[in-house]
Amino acid sequence: MLLLRRCHSLTRFGPLTTQRRQVAPAVASCAVRLWSSSSSDDQRSYQHTHSPSWRYGLAGLLAGTGVVLAYGLHQHKAEQADTVRVQTIERTSSLPIFSQEEVTKHRSLQDGVWVTYKGGVYDITEFVAMHPGGDKILLAAGGALEPFWALYAVHNQEHVLEILSEYKVGELSAEDVKKQQAVKSSDPYSSDPERHPVLHINNLKPFNAEPPPEILSDSYITPSAFFFKRNHLPVPKVDPASYQLHVEGLPGGVLTLSLEDLKTKFSKHTVTATLQCAGNRRSEMNKVKQVKGLNWGIAAISNATWSGAKLRDVLLAAGYGPDVAQWACHVQFEGLDKDVTGTTYGASIPLKKAVSEEGDVLLAYEMNGEELPADHGFPVRVVVPGTVGARNVKWLGKIIVSAEESSSHWQQNDYKGFSPGTDWDTVDFKSAPAIQELPIQSAVTTPADGAVVDRSAEEVTVKGYAWSGGGREVVRVDVSLDGGKTWQVAQLRTSDKGQAPEPSPPPGQAWAWKLWEVTAPLPAEAQELEIVCKAVDNSYNMQPDTVPPIWNLRGVLSNAWHRVKVKIREDENEE
């Protein structure tokens, strides 16, 4: 207990001032290693320059005995609580105000590492080297801790909050806290929602971004803040009180529903489903030959729990019956997002999928147990499990039962696959069907390409995701450390660690991905690993081994074996 008491005292360095920044153990929400090997010397230099020698000992103690230390902190919080509260009140009254823009500038050791939490601004620069979870803490840099703490719930403990409160350097501006900046501009994107700075932006207007891949394998359910963003047009501002959904093309005439109607007149259903952009992993096709489209990495895919009314139930209420199926083949969707000409985003799916009991198509108004965020379709979107993201229309305004596919550009002249020999001079978009179900897919999320592992570790842990379209269940993921010469089978999981696995879905309704992991010894003589993964679904569909045979001018349907090269660093102490 004396040791714990002393360790506890080391986390407090006296009154905080803006000149002397303090840091809090267990502040950060964690994700993965972001520093490249080239920065390791700078990191060691920084630690030597800025960290007294006792901090190295504390870092080791935190990493090795985090649970014990947490218990000790909890036991001693009572005797510290009054002092902490008084100091916090005194500091808060004199702390400066920062804008979110200013906070976002502090995302590195060179510029400082700042985070926000419930309106407060915290400088955690000096703590990075001591963080028990390694430099995963840098994922939160420049942004809010809340989504990370939702992902890594171990931080949501009273003693952690008390420690964090001591290291406050400022307050976030009221405008940013309330997110009520009413920017009036001719720019149609000026009212787009704010996004977390951890996202890797592929295009700013319209906004398209993906999370760091490492985040994906840290949580079976992707937090909304980190769920990939794929917008084609400005995000519309929709008043939920006046929102109306129009259902057309059925014998009963036009059915108009409010948001309240959807919530009260139809049973609420919940489905866990993975959405993937058709262009996920397009960057790998670009390396073979240039394609047209956003240069997505491997993280234009995410998994969420969606809740709402079943599309089937709404269509039945609007007059759908067996007679309609005699002439109708498609259900069209129109969004409320518009371009400068007033043209809305549109797409369609087969009627059979829309009305199937097992199709699980939702008119979703909740995502991960909360109302849909603006970027994901507030107040209502279509969720079409097992189908390419482009058909999951957001900000849904109209549903049309029709004999024809949607005439939308995104249905007729985009999101279609072609032969590698087809180019923009010879392409005929009418010659290929619109993408609906996606093929089998998997990727390595950690370690990252170009990462370095120490020989002294003796083994390497590889993580990733796997998913197949059309409700086909992933049954196996094979992983190789030597470029595909030898293979081992990864362990699959359908929940977060420590939680009960999701039950096996009914045949044809495996809508959610599987996360996978394998730990293997480092080969004795190897200086570099070529890690490869490939998935197999229950129809025994397998990924192709290389990109060239599946290359296409739009860079869609990229699902070749994913390859990551990792260097092995020999122990510097070895003679």
Side-chain angles (χ1 to χ4, degrees):
M1 292 304 294
L2 179 60
L3 175 62
L4 290 174
R5 188 181 301 274
R6 288 178 178 173
C7 292
H8 187 54
S9 68
L10 289 177
T11 64
R12 287 161 164 73
F13 307 100
L16 173 74
T17 66
T18 54
Q19 288 76 33
R20 181 177 179 178
R21 297 169 181 152
Q22 307 300 342
V23 293
V27 163
S29 49
C30 317
V32 265
R33 183 170 299 276
L34 291 185
W35 294 347
S36 66
S37 58
S38 61
S39 69
S40 60
D41 291 339
D42 292 338
Q43 179 185 357
R44 286 193 291 269
S45 174
Y46 179 90
Q47 293 170 340
H48 179 75
T49 303
H50 295 274
S51 299
S53 59
W54 64 263
R55 293 188 184 177
Y56 294 103
L58 177 59
L61 179 61
L62 284 171
T65 60
V67 175
V68 177
L69 179 59
Y71 176 77
L73 291 173
H74 180 75
Q75 290 295 100
H76 290 282
K77 68 184 177 66
E79 64 189 58
Q80 301 286 345
D82 291 340
T83 302
V84 170
R85 293 190 186 98
V86 171
Q87 290 176 346
T88 301
I89 293 171
E90 290 175 350
R91 288 196 301 271
T92 301
S93 62
S94 60
L95 291 177
I97 304 296
F98 296 105
S99 67
Q100 180 61 55
E101 182 180 6
E102 176 65 23
V103 174
T104 303
K105 293 177 182 177
H106 295 81
R107 301 191 62 196
S108 67
L109 290 176
Q110 291 73 28
D111 300 324
V113 179
W114 290 14
V115 295
T116 66
Y117 183 72
K118 292 188 176 180
V121 178
Y122 305 85
D123 182 348
I124 60 172
T125 310
E126 294 182 22
F127 177 62
V128 171
M130 297 189 299
H131 182 230
D135 48 27
K136 296 178 180 182
I137 191 172
L138 288 176
L139 283 177
L145 286 178
E146 282 87 341
F148 287 96
W149 283 16
L151 180 57
Y152 305 100
V154 68
H155 296 92
N156 278 316
Q157 300 182 53
E158 186 176 351
H159 70 270
V160 177
L161 298 175
E162 287 181 3
I163 295 171
L164 177 62
S165 70
E166 294 191 37
Y167 310 112
K168 199 176 201 179
V169 296
E171 298 283 351
L172 199 60
S173 68
E175 292 82 5
D176 285 317
V177 171
K178 297 178 181 178
K179 295 184 179 179
Q180 291 179 343
Q181 293 173 319
V183 180
K184 293 187 177 181
S185 167
S186 59
D187 181 359
Y189 296 95
S190 63
S191 61
D192 269 18
E194 294 186 14
R195 287 96 178 192
H196 201 284
V198 76
L199 297 174
H200 296 164
I201 298 174
N202 288 320
N203 195 69
L204 192 58
K205 297 179 181 182
F207 189 80
N208 290 278
E210 59 189 304
E214 309 92 325
I215 283 182
L216 295 181
S217 53
D218 273 349
S219 179
Y220 180 69
I221 300 296
T222 311
S224 303
F226 306 142
F227 200 102
F228 82 96
K229 313 290 191 285
R230 177 56 174 118
N231 296 335
H232 296 84
L233 300 164
V235 176
K237 300 195 81 170
V238 184
D239 179 6
S242 59
Y243 169 79
Q244 289 187 328
L245 173 62
H246 305 287
V247 185
E248 303 177 3
L250 291 168
V254 177
L255 174 66
T256 300
L257 299 169
S258 67
L259 179 60
E260 187 66 16
D261 289 335
L262 284 173
K263 291 182 176 180
T264 59
K265 294 184 178 180
F266 300 92
S267 297
K268 180 179 179 180
H269 295 268
T270 298
V271 174
T272 299
T274 296
L275 298 188
Q276 180 182 203
C277 178
N280 190 34
R281 299 180 60 193
R282 180 181 280 129
S283 57
E284 294 163 57
M285 286 195 172
N286 267 324
K287 292 176 182 177
V288 173
K289 182 181 176 182
Q290 191 69 32
V291 300
K292 290 187 178 180
L294 298 172
N295 197 42
W296 293 107
I298 65 169
I301 181 173
S302 301
N303 192 47
T305 298
W306 312 92
S307 299
K310 276 196 173 185
L311 174 60
R312 168 185 166 83
D313 293 345
V314 171
L315 293 179
L316 287 172
Y320 173 80
D323 55 322
V324 175
Q326 300 301 311
W327 58 267
C329 298
H330 305 274
V331 176
Q332 303 175 8
F333 306 115
E334 290 184 11
L336 296 173
D337 46 335
K338 303 176 181 179
D339 65 14
V340 292
T341 69
T343 301
T344 61
Y345 181 84
S348 60
I349 62 173
L351 175 66
K352 184 177 180 180
K353 170 72 173 177
V355 300
S356 170
E357 287 269 17
E358 295 77 31
D360 289 331
V361 182
L362 294 183
L363 304 181
Y365 44 77
E366 289 183 5
M367 178 182 185
N368 293 340
E370 300 178 345
E371 70 177 22
L372 284 173
D375 262 325
H376 296 293
F378 178 81
V380 177
R381 73 172 297 167
V382 185
V383 173
V384 191
T387 298
V388 64
R391 314 303 168 212
N392 293 252
V393 176
K394 299 187 283 190
W395 312 291
L396 185 64
K398 187 180 292 185
I399 300 171
I400 306 169
V401 177
S402 173
E404 307 294 333
E405 267 191 321
S406 169
S407 60
S408 166
H409 160 80
W410 293 280
Q411 189 80 21
Q412 298 297 327
N413 299 313
D414 203 351
Y415 297 122
K416 295 183 176 184
F418 296 94
S419 163
T422 301
D423 60 28
W424 288 99
D425 294 326
T426 60
V427 65
D428 176 11
F429 276 94
K430 292 182 180 179
S431 68
I435 299 170
Q436 294 286 343
E437 298 177 359
L438 286 172
I440 182 72
Q441 177 70 282
S442 71
V444 176
T445 58
T446 184
D449 189 46
V452 176
V453 298
D454 290 326
R455 171 71 67 186
S456 59
E458 298 183 352
E459 60 184 20
V460 61
T461 296
V462 185
K463 299 179 182 180
Y465 65 75
W467 180 78
S468 191
R472 293 177 289 274
E473 183 176 8
V474 172
V475 295
R476 194 180 80 232
V477 173
D478 299 324
V479 181
S480 173
L481 301 186
D482 54 15
K485 296 176 183 177
T486 61
W487 299 89
Q488 52 191 303
V489 178
Q491 182 178 359
L492 305 179
R493 62 183 175 96
T494 56
S495 64
D496 288 322
K497 291 183 177 179
Q499 298 181 0
E502 291 287 317
S504 296
Q509 291 179 271
W511 310 127
W513 66 14
K514 291 188 178 180
L515 300 181
W516 56 265
E517 181 175 331
V518 62
T519 298
L522 293 174
E525 303 300 326
Q527 295 181 331
E528 184 180 74
L529 305 177
E530 184 180 6
I531 302 174
V532 182
C533 72
K534 59 184 179 74
V536 181
D537 68 23
N538 61 357
S539 295
Y540 286 97
N541 295 308
M542 303 182 191
Q543 296 173 251
D545 58 346
T546 60
V547 174
I550 60 172
W551 183 94
N552 60 86
L553 76 174
R554 278 291 282 119
V556 294
L557 307 170
S558 182
N559 73 324
W561 295 358
H562 188 222
R563 301 170 185 267
V564 168
K565 290 188 176 180
V566 174
K567 294 184 181 297
I568 299 176
R569 178 167 50 204
E570 300 298 331
D571 190 342
E572 296 177 358
N573 296 325
E574 289 185 358
E575 296 182 357

